[in-house]
Amino acid sequence: MALKEQYEQHPELTDIKCIFALENAKIAIKQKFGYAQNESVTDMEELQGIIDRCVTIGLERIEKMNS
């Protein structure tokens, strides 16, 4: 659902940009745990919603697995 919302808000999104956002989300999650510090996460505005939502979901799942 979140990805659909991002497509609706940002009609310039392409599949390639979404894949790029998902790759950046993986880096962002790793950085939350102190890893991937030498990698950067894009600041492209149209990708931030995808990255933020993926990070939220990832952290929730990691927390669930740890409890």
Side-chain angles (χ1 to χ4, degrees), residues 42-57:
T42 186
D43 60 355
M44 292 175 64
E45 185 178 333
E46 68 267 23
L47 303 183
Q48 295 310 305
I50 296 170
I51 294 169
D52 292 344
R53 183 66 182 134
C54 288
V55 168
T56 300
I57 291 169

Side-chain angles (χ1 to χ4, degrees), residues 5 13 46:
E5 291 170 2
L13 280 177
E46 68 267 23

Side-chain angles (χ1 to χ4, degrees), residues 8-65:
E8 290 170 352
Q9 291 176 9
H10 303 283
E12 71 277 6
L13 280 177
T14 62
D15 289 346
I16 297 296
K17 285 184 178 180
C18 289
I19 291 168
F20 183 63
L22 295 173
E23 293 296 324
N24 276 259
K26 289 192 285 187
I27 295 168
I29 292 169
K30 290 176 187 177
Q31 288 177 344
K32 295 284 184 183
F33 293 94
Y35 302 102
Q37 297 301 313
N38 293 331
E39 298 182 61
S40 61
V41 176
T42 186
D43 60 355
M44 292 175 64
E45 185 178 333
E46 68 267 23
L47 303 183
Q48 295 310 305
I50 296 170
I51 294 169
D52 292 344
R53 183 66 182 134
C54 288
V55 168
T56 300
I57 291 169
L59 294 175
E60 287 172 358
R61 290 183 180 179
I62 290 168
E63 183 179 320
K64 185 176 181 179
M65 288 178 62

